[in-house]
Amino acid sequence: MAEGAGGAAANGGSDEKVLDFLDSVDSYLTTMESLAPILRQGWFDLASARHSMGVFRVSSASLDLKDHSASTYLQMVGHESDDSFVGQPSFSLCKWASADNKSCCSEEEIPDSQLRHRGTSRLSENQEQNSNGDDSLKTVDDLVKKERAKTLSVFGTLVSPKLRTAQLSFETALEVLVEAANIRSSMLSAYSQVQKQMEDTREGEIGPIP
Amino acid sequence: MYGFEALTFNIHGGYLEAIVRGHRASLLTAADYNNLCQCETLDDIKMHLSATEYGPYLQNEPSPLHTTTIVEKCTLKLVDEYKNMLCQATEPLSTFLEYITYGHMIDNVVLIVTGTLHERDVQELLEKCHPLGMFDSIATLAVAQNMRELYRLVLVDTPLAPYFSECITSEDLDDMNIEIMRNTLYKAYLEDFYRFCQKLGGATAEIMSDLLAFEADRRAVNITINSIGTELTRDDRRKLYSNFGLLYPYGHEELAICEDIDQVRGAMEKYPPYQSIFAKLSYGESQMLDKAFYEEEVKRLCLAFEQQFHYAVFFAYMRLREQEIRNLMWISECVAQNQKSRVHDSVVFIF
């Protein structure tokens, strides 16, 4: 009876892990499917902008090759090191960081050792200030608008609204990609737990080898 | 009123007017566009264009084609036709034809200066320049650090020299200054072209005044919409508008203070020719504004051919070809991106 109850609990736990895995697979597939139309819209908006502003104005020749800090970077927390698995990796996007403003839209701390950036952008005390109150939200909005405009300024400062729409589409696509990476990470973690569970169950059934 | 152009125009301009009217007859028709819109790949587009005058320019291009290749080759055809007309033109038609290309020259100057600021290779930038706007010393633009040097080293010997008096400063060139320089130069060019056409008089003055006024008004609207939400002040915005056109001066005063597209609509709907353009758009929308303006422009350009013995047919032809190239670029992009359902968003039929 006790063994039956224990077995039922173990099965319930196993089923829960499998369900978690299936849920995460479903989320991953849904997220990846949502990415393609966003990218399509971004490319279409870019073509509209080239049509509006002229193909000679919106071209790869306008892109800036000077050394400059990244305006957006990816933070990864939790990774496999040599012998230990620190935790399932999670990714977050720090958008529109600026060397001038020294602030970022993300609220998370970014450990310097894990950063990949070329410039001097780093979080400052301003982050705490920016997370509070409507005034600070407006400040963040203004900063974001300014950074967006700065990125597009390679094509000129008076650009068509279609180019700004294209920028937003690709920004959204980047967010979806990071979200997909996080879901994939949790999916792989759930899978490894299911696998471990199955191995434990198999060992339990076979028993110790004499 | 007109002079006795019918008596004397054909002496120097008759042949070229006949040539340009022949070129006009070879513009793509609605049937051509319908065929192109049904293409599945860029090679299909190339196949359909092989039966047109673009055929010889595209026939040697290898697959896979790119949309930029189609645009480049079609532009080459326009450049060849233009140079053919220019070399046979006498004054004042030759000066008139040169005026048509100064806009491209300004764009090329800005491209070289901006690209140099961004540490691009000069040779790469020269390949991206519009062929109609090339001049001999264009590569030397890369050495200038500010507008004064730009003018002194290079542009003083070009047709753009007179336009620089309004924007010569010793400030270093940066993105905002370059944009203001671009628009200030273009404003000065349009006003100069307008004055030149007025001096020519007759049908040329009348038709070109209408076309250039429309161009000035459209520029004012585009500058307004593109500067919403940017750091450009109202005064700076106002200074970029041309000093002629239907919107000058009261419409410009209203446009200068607009903060969103609905306020722009409110300012423009007071003028009957633009009321019909904005009537095609829903409130808060600006996506189809470009197409609405292009359609109006094409209508006016086609009307230029209804009259004889004037130079506006040359301007109209060049602009109609540029519109055709824009159409081909748009169709190619929609085919390449598998977005054929959106192809009619921006194609403007000429006939």
Side-chain angles (χ1 to χ4, degrees):
Chain A
M1 205 56 184
E3 273 186 14
N11 279 342
S14 167
D15 286 346
E16 197 183 314
K17 289 196 168 89
V18 170
L19 280 173
D20 282 345
F21 170 66
L22 293 174
D23 279 342
S24 56
V25 168
D26 181 57
S27 300
Y28 178 70
L29 291 173
T30 309
T31 308
M32 289 305 287
E33 270 184 33
S34 70
L35 180 63
I38 297 171
L39 281 173
R40 236 165 100 83
Q41 185 59 38
W43 287 116
F44 186 78
D45 290 335
L46 186 60
S48 299
R50 294 183 77 225
H51 180 265
S52 174
M53 292 171 62
V55 298
F56 294 95
R57 202 167 150 195
V58 182
S59 73
S60 56
S62 306
L63 298 176
D64 194 349
L65 290 184
K66 277 196 304 199
D67 287 337
H68 54 277
S69 55
S71 58
T72 297
Y73 47 91
L74 188 69
Q75 175 197 359
M76 192 179 80
V77 177
H79 59 280
E80 276 186 32
S81 93
D82 294 330
D83 296 324
S84 63
F85 183 74
V86 176
Q88 122 192 357
S90 79
F91 305 93
S92 66
L93 208 55
C94 183
K95 295 197 302 183
W96 307 119
S98 160
D100 296 335
N101 294 308
K102 296 186 180 176
S103 63
C104 170
C105 292
S106 169
E107 292 182 358
E108 295 174 76
E109 285 285 337
I110 300 172
D112 285 339
S113 59
Q114 293 182 353
L115 281 178
R116 285 182 66 230
H117 64 94
R118 287 172 285 156
T120 56
S121 301
R122 63 175 69 206
L123 291 177
S124 73
E125 321 56 75
N126 287 340
Q127 259 197 329
E128 285 173 54
Q129 183 187 349
N130 283 346
S131 65
N132 298 319
D134 289 342
D135 287 340
S136 56
L137 278 175
K138 277 185 194 162
T139 310
V140 169
D141 276 343
D142 289 340
L143 281 174
V144 167
K145 270 188 198 162
K146 198 174 157 193
E147 290 303 314
R148 282 195 180 122
K150 198 170 144 192
T151 309
L152 285 185
S153 64
V154 292
F155 301 112
T157 46
L158 299 182
V159 297
S160 166
K162 292 174 185 176
L163 195 62
R164 297 195 190 121
T165 311
Q167 184 185 45
L168 281 174
S169 297
F170 286 124
E171 199 178 312
T172 308
L174 193 57
E175 287 167 7
V176 170
L177 266 172
V178 171
E179 189 188 331
N182 283 328
I183 294 173
R184 186 167 187 272
S185 170
S186 62
M187 179 181 75
L188 290 174
S189 169
Y191 175 70
S192 62
Q193 285 182 20
V194 166
Q195 232 182 359
K196 188 168 178 298
Q197 180 88 28
M198 281 170 62
E199 281 168 9
D200 289 345
T201 309
R202 206 175 294 127
E203 276 174 16
E205 283 172 1
I206 292 171
I209 297 169
Chain B
M1 285 303 292
Y2 302 165
F4 293 93
E5 292 139 341
L7 293 178
T8 55
F9 184 89
N10 281 346
I11 297 169
H12 296 291
Y15 172 67
L16 284 176
E17 186 181 347
I19 292 286
V20 84
R21 284 181 184 272
H23 285 323
R24 180 226 184 219
S26 67
L27 286 165
L28 298 178
T29 62
D32 291 320
Y33 285 121
N34 284 334
N35 287 339
L36 288 167
C37 291
Q38 286 167 26
C39 290
E40 294 289 328
T41 63
L42 294 182
D43 286 319
D44 288 345
I45 289 180
K46 177 182 160 185
M47 188 187 69
H48 277 99
L49 288 177
S50 64
T52 69
E53 292 194 357
Y54 292 114
Y57 292 84
L58 285 170
Q59 65 186 12
N60 293 328
E61 291 307 310
S63 295
L65 268 184
H66 295 283
T67 55
T68 47
T69 309
I70 294 177
V71 171
E72 271 171 35
K73 297 303 168 188
C74 294
T75 306
L76 273 183
K77 176 189 177 310
L78 173 62
V79 171
D80 286 345
E81 287 174 352
Y82 170 81
K83 285 181 176 168
N84 191 32
M85 289 192 292
L86 183 65
C87 72
Q88 299 188 71
T90 57
E91 287 291 342
L93 177 56
S94 53
T95 302
F96 182 91
L97 288 174
E98 284 169 0
Y99 263 105
I100 296 174
T101 64
Y102 292 170
H104 295 301
M105 221 179 266
I106 292 169
D107 287 338
N108 286 351
V109 166
V110 172
L111 177 65
I112 299 282
V113 169
T114 309
T116 306
L117 207 64
H118 296 156
E119 296 184 6
R120 306 295 304 213
D121 179 51
V122 174
Q123 209 48 49
E124 183 191 1
L125 294 171
L126 289 173
E127 285 169 13
K128 294 286 184 184
C129 287
H130 197 293
L132 279 178
M134 297 300 277
F135 52 93
D136 289 336
S137 52
I138 190 171
T140 329
L141 287 168
V143 303
Q145 297 296 319
N146 55 50
M147 289 182 221
R148 208 172 284 278
E149 279 184 19
L150 203 63
Y151 175 77
R152 190 175 56 84
L153 294 175
V154 187
L155 297 173
V156 65
D157 295 321
T158 67
L160 302 182
Y163 308 147
F164 259 77
S165 59
E166 292 184 39
C167 57
I168 293 184
T169 65
S170 296
E171 284 179 29
D172 279 349
L173 294 163
D174 65 23
D175 289 326
M176 180 55 92
N177 290 342
I178 290 173
E179 190 69 33
I180 290 178
M181 179 181 81
R182 180 211 303 271
N183 285 286
T184 308
L185 286 176
Y186 207 90
K187 171 190 168 182
Y189 151 64
L190 270 187
E191 288 171 358
D192 188 35
F193 197 4
Y194 184 82
R195 281 192 295 270
F196 175 76
C197 295
Q198 293 293 309
K199 261 198 293 190
L200 291 175
T204 302
E206 187 195 348
I207 298 169
M208 283 304 296
S209 296
D210 178 62
L211 294 175
L212 290 177
F214 180 79
E215 175 72 15
D217 292 340
R218 181 175 59 178
R219 272 196 72 248
V221 172
N222 282 339
I223 286 171
T224 307
I225 291 174
N226 293 350
S227 61
I228 289 171
T230 67
E231 291 173 353
L232 194 70
T233 62
R234 289 176 178 182
D235 285 337
D236 285 341
R237 187 198 281 181
R238 175 70 186 82
K239 285 180 198 164
L240 299 179
Y241 300 150
S242 300
N243 293 331
F244 69 100
L246 191 61
L247 297 176
Y248 174 78
Y250 304 112
H252 289 171
E253 297 300 329
E254 290 193 48
L255 283 179
I257 58 173
C258 288
E259 296 293 337
D260 59 51
I261 184 69
D262 288 328
Q263 289 180 12
V264 172
R265 173 196 284 267
M268 297 297 289
E269 281 182 339
K270 293 175 185 159
Y271 299 87
Y274 302 123
Q275 199 176 18
S276 57
I277 291 175
F278 280 83
K280 295 179 191 175
L281 310 175
S282 46
Y283 280 92
E285 185 217 346
S286 66
Q287 297 289 324
M288 304 303 282
L289 185 62
D290 283 335
K291 182 177 179 184
F293 268 112
Y294 285 138
E295 282 173 342
E296 179 67 20
E297 186 191 19
V298 162
K299 211 164 41 172
R300 293 176 187 227
L301 292 169
C302 288
L303 283 175
F305 287 91
E306 298 299 314
Q307 213 166 326
Q308 268 188 284
F309 312 127
H310 62 86
Y311 294 157
V313 287
F314 298 96
F315 178 83
Y317 172 69
M318 296 292 289
R319 285 301 172 98
L320 286 173
R321 270 290 180 207
E322 285 172 2
Q323 179 60 47
E324 186 174 272
I325 292 170
R326 261 195 300 275
N327 286 343
L328 289 173
M329 174 251 160
W330 181 251
I331 293 170
S332 305
E333 284 285 352
C334 288
V335 165
Q337 294 186 24
N338 202 17
Q339 295 258 31
K340 286 195 327 191
S341 59
R342 306 288 299 270
V343 76
H344 291 289
D345 283 4
S346 291
V347 169
V348 176
F349 295 118
I350 296 172
F351 297 115

